Amino acid sequence: MIHFLLLISRQGKVRLTKWYSPYAQKERTKVVRELSGMILSRGPKLCNFVEWRGYKVVYKRYASLYFCMCVNQDDNELEILEIIHHFVEILDLYFGSVCELDLIFNFHKAYYILDEILMAGELQESSKKTVERLIDAQDALVEAAKEQANSVSYMISQATK
Amino acid sequence: MNPFSSETRLRDMIRAIRACKTAAEERAVVRKECATIRASVSDNDNDYKHRNLAKLMFIHMLGYPTHFGQMECLKLIAAPGFPDKRIGYLGLMLLLDERQEVLMLVTNSLKQDLNHTNQYIVGLALCALGNISSAEMARDLAPEVERLLLFRDPNIRKKAALCSIRIIKKVPDLAENFVNSAAALLKEKHHGVLLTGVQLCTDLCKVSPDALEYIRKRCTEGLVKLLKDVVNSPYVPEYDVSGIADPFLHIRLLRLLRVLGHGDADASDCMNDILAQVASKTESNKNAGNAILYECVETIMSIEDNSGLRVLAINILGRFLSNRDNNIRYVALNMLMRAITVDSQAVQRHRATILECVKDSDASIRKRALELVYLLVNENNVKLLTKDLIDYLEISDQEFKGDLTAKICSIVEKFSPEKIWYIDQMLQVLSEAGNYVKDEVWHALIVVISNASNLHGYTVRLLYRAVQKSVDQEVLVRVAVWCIGEYGDMLVNSVGTLGIEEPITVTESDTVDVLETAIKHHTSDLTTRAMCLIALLKLSCRFPSCSERIQDIIVQNKGSLVLELQQRSIEFNSIIQKHQNIRSALCERMPVLDESSYSIRRAGSLPAVASSLQGSAVTLPNGVAKPSAAPLVDLLDLSSDDAPVPAPSQGNDFLHDLLGVDLSSGLSQAGTNQTQKSGTDALLDLLSIGTAPASSSFSALDGLSLGQGTDTSISALSGLASTSTAMPATQPSSLVGNSPMVDLLNGFGPSEQIQAEENNAAYPSIVAFESNNLKMTCNFSKQPGNLQSTLIEANFINKSSNVYTEFIFQAAVPKFLQLHLDPASSNTLPASGDGSITQKLRVTNSQHGKKSLVMRIRIAYKLNNKDVLEQGQISNFPHGL
């Protein structure tokens, strides 16, 4: 089970966090600080796993971002690397060659995508296309609602209420 | 429009925050934004709810408090439209966790949304529930989720499956409700549903044995077939990951098969073929393939025995281990650790490679490899492996040394074939990384040294050499100091030289040099210095020619700021100066320390208490020096004043421990064992270092005001006092035993001690209360051994010329006291002091030593049939009750 997911920039700034196990706010800050210290300082050729508080943290660096997932001791670390890659590919598909700035300004969209890939700390969907389709459908729903709200007839009906 | 509503867009806010150059600037921007959001929240401004929450999430991610946004989430979730709900649920998952009570308020909205007609809204609700559900919510909403496992859209079914995992983890009792529907999910075609369905089954099997049984019976074959289909499926671009169709599904299926096959031969049989196929056919040039192989190997290791498959698995691990990729090597080491229980021979074959991994530049790999080496060690390879590890200790990273040292020590202790080897290895470790060695390890080393009587000379010479080179390794210094104190003469006389030793000439003053350097070295802590003092005392006896020099060194510590050292140096100085006659007896070599009881003690969960009790039990019956259980450790536990030392008899051990003295020579006049023992107590406490009996039970303490209110001085003195109190009147010869002790302590003044004895016998009586008509006096006594409680005998005398009838005495005490009143001797008090009433009170002072007694009293009686009431407070109780 994935206990939490962190996206940390090379400077140690948090870009996205998702907690599937309960951590209090204070604890979260501590965890992030501790792990970013451990992970950012590791050399480039070392393995992608660090042992931490009886868990394993699997991390992978994509450009300036570190994707980190904390899993149980007996989870398959290599698979977690695949899951991270899966997530990155879908982000890439959605944003079109994703970069850190995309994730900063559209962090909520990154979360929406994540929620279609992971849930309750487990993988939800192995098809990138399905995830993309689901996200698009929901984005369309939002757009439709916005359009309706901006339409003249809606404004009139609101005004005459 | 509201002037305070937040007009900046989310994008603008993020830009503003990113533009900040300092943390203070950022805080200012965030504070301003938070203020406008708050204003907008309190205005119930609907237009910007959406935007506000998005901003709050960003602010939250930066680590600022955002609790005031929690209710906004709930409002948005309760709104009818999809966009509001979408952001509301996102906020809920980000800003709250399952432990917040606000979460309970959302249960109702969740329930409605789980039944919504819009499947995307159902999806949002399931996602929120799956990510942050608490046990209560899980219980409340389980029926909805169960129903959704059968929903028409597969994307909802898969979410419901993962949501069920959260529910059964929170409330395992609910597992049985999900078993049927979970098993049904395994027959689906949609990969997302299969993926989550398999995961749900795996988790069900973990929480419920019934579910495991059910799924094993009904689904094993189906799962094997499913895995076969996936493995042999043609290329499907949608699920393809570097040439493999859906590795995620592969892995989950293998994991579930592992759970089903574990401990069940039939199920294991059923999956043999497919496992063999996966293990042999999967491509291992990409990470995805390796992930599957890794999972497959683990499944093969866990299911019931099939040697053919295991060979296959071990070969895969061998390939992994020689891989260049660090990730693959890491998982191989991880896997070998599990394989070692199945086939340790096969793992032994890779020993050399594993040993190389201990020296890897990657900390994660090093750590794994070290754990593995630890498991690999046996009687046959221990010498080889230890040598390698100790060699590596020299060059390893500082942060790795701690782990490495602990493991080496543990290996050496566990498998040492002979004592000399053990001592050699330990001394090497101490020289390289002495500061990383734990206390119990070097304590054990001393036990072993003490037991190896033929190696004493060898060891002390080895230590002498080692300590010259590595002065900074504190633990090495301690062991050396101890050994020199004990066996210093062997160092000088070259006693018991072994063939392998190089000859060495050490003079007496060289030996003292070592101790002098150690006691003066800036890194030496209290324990080391204290050990040095004892060693010096011992050497002063063994090397008469250096006696004066030693005395000088000891005297230098007279002014030490550490009370313990100061006191010891005064005492030891006094022993050297004035007590030549008992010095040699005091400084005798320690008796051999008992190995078996020490190891028991180490293993015990409450080591200190348990074995010191044991130790005293062993020695009590005859009360004479016999090597007892506790000694060594007590000697070494120099600063453990946390262990409640049970009784003065405990001290008995100490003395032998510390000085190895059979006191009977020193106290030969004291005829009986009894006296001997109490004599021992005092000496012993006198010499024991820093071990303060926490529950010393002597009232004499308060009488002795030496102005040194510390534990240590009290311990010494209470020990001293124990000589007198513990020596019962039935021992007329007690004085004989007593006198040498008092002498010893002449610096502390025996007169006080005597006074203390008197005090103990009787506290002065007081007039507790006096009025025109009545006088109350109190006498005090204490029961020996119960410091806290005092017996008070109250005497009432009538000063008037009239008889008092119906006399009642009442008393009240503050909370830290407990009061027990015995019945009064009478309720009539004769006139003019013609008689008296006595009444006994027992007071227990739980704050003994900190607070003194105080009591409020009320006396009621009838004088000529008129009620009279007198009240007062007694606060003039003698000090120290």
Side-chain angles (χ1 to χ4, degrees), chain B residues 745-801:
Chain B
L745 276 183
N746 49 14
F748 289 104
S751 58
E752 276 144 310
Q753 192 233 340
I754 289 159
Q755 189 194 341
E757 261 177 282
E758 283 168 3
N759 264 357
N760 183 33
Y763 286 89
S765 300
I766 57 162
V767 176
F769 177 80
E770 189 161 21
S771 68
N772 290 335
N773 308 323
L774 192 70
K775 182 174 166 187
M776 172 186 173
T777 55
C778 286
N779 294 317
F780 306 96
S781 60
K782 276 198 187 263
Q783 280 172 337
N786 192 354
L787 209 53
Q788 293 193 335
S789 70
T790 310
L791 275 173
I792 303 175
E793 196 182 53
N795 243 308
F796 301 94
I797 293 169
N798 186 346
K799 288 162 74 182
S800 74
S801 48

Side-chain angles (χ1 to χ4, degrees), chain B residues 88-108:
Chain B
Y89 276 117
L90 183 59
L92 183 78
M93 288 186 281
L94 282 185
L95 306 184
L96 277 83
D97 70 60
E98 62 177 274
R99 284 172 299 197
Q100 267 139 343
E101 303 211 337
V102 191
L103 203 55
M104 284 311 290
L105 300 174
V106 92
T107 311
N108 207 30

